[in-house]
Amino acid sequence: MNKEKILEIKNLSQHFKLDKNTVVKAVDDITFEIYKGEIFGLVGESGSGKSTLGRSIIKLYEPTSGEIIYKGNRISDKKIYKKEKKYLNKSMQIIFQDSTSSLNPRMTVADIIAEPLKIQGIYNSKEERLNKVYEMLNLVGLDKSYINRYPTEFSGGQRQRIGIARALCINPEFIVADEPIASLDVSIQAQIVNLFKKLQRKRELTCLFIAHDLSMVRHISDRIGVMYNGKLVELAEANELYNNPIHPYTKSLLSSIPIPDPRYARRRNKIKYDNSMHDYSEDKPKWVEISSGHYVYASEKELCIYDQELNII
Ligand code: ADP
Ligand code: MG
């Protein structure tokens, strides 16, 4: 894999102040990188901060602290972001978790998909734009005849595919895909996963692919990060994470992947995770590279145990 960094996240925090006494640390001191052309899977239960991280990266929020560096530009800096905004809007796109609320109900499918092309002035003639819309509909498996219909006339899965077509039509270099397949039928899920793989291969698309469990991301991701409660708790190449999970939360996620064969599923032990198992009162946890490219969030004492598990010492 190409190891050129497209995105560097350094000690990024995104805190939301709800009132005078309550702060939600949705993203809390996270550090990692995404390489050009890779699909980086991000998993974690609902409320762990995945969407907030994805949205922070494309600058829908002002970060509370830390740095976001995209293709060498420190876009967490307001001035730099402003200067690069036009380019960034073309280069980075997001597919929202819930496309229903992100599609304008008064616009036709053709206008929705062509909107970014229009804003960016990529094709001048209406005909060129329309051809691109047809190409995108075909790519996401929607019928040509839909172009003059409105979002409300579609199912959730179809709307999601309209959102995907819109995000991809300006040929972005980097995409945040926030649970893009959660609302789709299994057969269409596989189709969309294949589409991302194809775009990765053919256009060197880089993608932060967010999901709430580990079943689909395994097939799509080069590397996977696991989030819990605003923290990245583990990160490794996909196979490494599946074969040698270290953090108890990752183990618990892996143990709850649905298994199609009920005979096997019955015999399997689900591992429960309880974060009170960590005693971080004095022995503070850190983000540590425990083996090459495999990172874990752990205290010194935990690291000794994990090292033994991995047979490092
Ligand atoms: P996930 O995508 O993993 O389900 P989110 O990033 O949506 O998690 O949310 C993480 C936490 O941050 C949750 O506790 C959520 O309620 C809170 N949160 C997210 N967005 C906001 C916001 N705009 N204002 C206040 N709290 C928020
Ligand atoms: Mg989310």
Side-chain angles (χ1 to χ4, degrees):
M1 197 193 4
N2 189 333
K3 290 271 179 175
E4 183 191 334
K5 293 170 199 162
I6 193 167
L7 183 77
E8 294 166 75
I9 304 295
K10 294 183 181 170
N11 304 102
L12 185 70
S13 291
Q14 191 72 58
H15 297 175
F16 297 111
K17 202 169 174 187
L18 298 186
D19 58 50
K20 228 168 63 192
N21 304 312
T22 327
V23 174
V24 179
K25 296 182 176 181
V27 169
D28 197 24
D29 195 12
I30 282 185
T31 298
F32 72 109
E33 292 155 357
I34 296 183
Y35 302 125
K36 191 170 163 53
E38 88 168 325
I39 296 180
F40 186 99
L42 183 68
V43 296
E45 67 195 20
S46 175
S48 56
K50 306 176 300 294
S51 295
T52 304
L53 177 59
R55 288 165 183 224
S56 302
I57 289 172
I58 65 154
K59 289 301 301 276
L60 289 178
Y61 301 128
E62 257 330 294
T64 308
S65 59
E67 290 179 274
I68 303 164
I69 299 166
Y70 181 68
K71 298 181 80 179
N73 295 311
R74 189 149 39 81
I75 61 170
S76 43
D77 181 300
K78 265 189 194 157
K79 268 193 198 148
I80 296 175
Y81 177 68
K82 221 174 150 191
K83 210 174 116 219
E84 301 290 335
K85 193 166 187 254
K86 195 156 184 259
Y87 165 70
L88 291 168
N89 284 344
K90 208 158 95 181
S91 182
M92 298 170 120
Q93 285 287 311
I94 186 165
I95 298 165
F96 288 105
Q97 192 167 351
D98 175 14
S99 308
T100 305
S101 56
S102 68
L103 303 180
N104 187 336
R106 280 175 292 277
M107 280 166 77
T108 63
V109 169
D111 287 341
I112 288 170
I113 297 176
E115 195 183 27
L117 296 172
K118 232 173 164 172
I119 293 171
Q120 299 293 337
I122 293 178
Y123 298 109
N124 292 320
S125 84
K126 218 171 163 180
E127 201 188 339
E128 276 178 314
R129 279 203 298 273
L130 198 59
N131 280 337
K132 188 71 187 175
V133 170
Y134 283 137
E135 184 194 325
M136 297 319 297
L137 284 175
N138 186 30
L139 197 66
V140 297
L142 287 175
D143 198 88
K144 259 171 115 165
S145 63
Y146 291 161
I147 57 159
N148 291 319
R149 298 212 199 154
Y150 292 87
T152 47
E153 299 174 54
F154 294 94
S155 71
Q158 286 171 323
R159 280 197 291 265
Q160 190 63 10
R161 284 188 276 168
I162 296 168
I164 293 171
R166 179 178 58 179
L168 293 175
C169 77
I170 54 170
N171 210 1
E173 293 174 271
F174 177 75
I175 279 225
V176 172
D178 192 354
E179 303 201 30
I181 56 175
S183 61
L184 306 179
D185 294 343
V186 174
S187 63
I188 297 164
Q189 282 189 0
Q191 192 186 335
I192 298 295
V193 163
N194 288 336
L195 171 66
F196 276 99
K197 279 276 178 207
K198 192 167 106 190
L199 291 168
Q200 179 190 30
R201 235 181 10 250
K202 294 205 166 158
R203 300 189 188 169
E204 238 197 343
L205 176 74
T206 309
C207 181
L208 176 70
F209 194 95
I210 300 174
H212 62 270
D213 71 45
L214 275 162
S215 47
M216 256 311 170
V217 279
R218 169 166 208 177
H219 304 294
I220 195 171
S221 312
D222 298 294
R223 292 186 304 145
I224 296 172
V226 180
M227 256 185 110
Y228 182 81
N229 207 5
K231 294 276 187 194
L232 211 48
V233 295
E234 188 161 0
L235 187 165
E237 282 193 4
N239 281 336
E240 167 73 5
L241 193 85
Y242 280 84
N243 296 331
N244 296 313
I246 299 174
H247 196 279
Y249 180 61
T250 311
K251 289 182 179 174
S252 131
L253 272 185
L254 278 170
S255 78
S256 59
I257 292 180
I259 294 178
D261 186 342
R263 284 167 304 176
Y264 179 66
R266 232 177 286 130
R267 271 188 278 126
R268 194 174 54 156
N269 287 331
K270 279 200 174 171
I271 303 170
K272 269 197 113 175
Y273 175 64
D274 177 359
N275 71 343
S276 68
M277 68 186 289
H278 306 281
D279 179 7
Y280 292 151
S281 52
E282 282 170 27
D283 194 5
K284 297 289 178 212
K286 288 180 295 194
W287 184 233
V288 181
E289 187 171 15
I290 191 163
S291 64
S292 177
H294 193 156
Y295 295 80
V296 67
Y297 183 68
S299 64
E300 282 298 329
K301 204 166 134 200
E302 287 174 334
L303 278 173
C304 291
I305 300 165
Y306 298 160
D307 276 343
Q308 278 166 8
E309 279 179 23
L310 280 178
N311 291 324
I312 291 173
I313 46 172

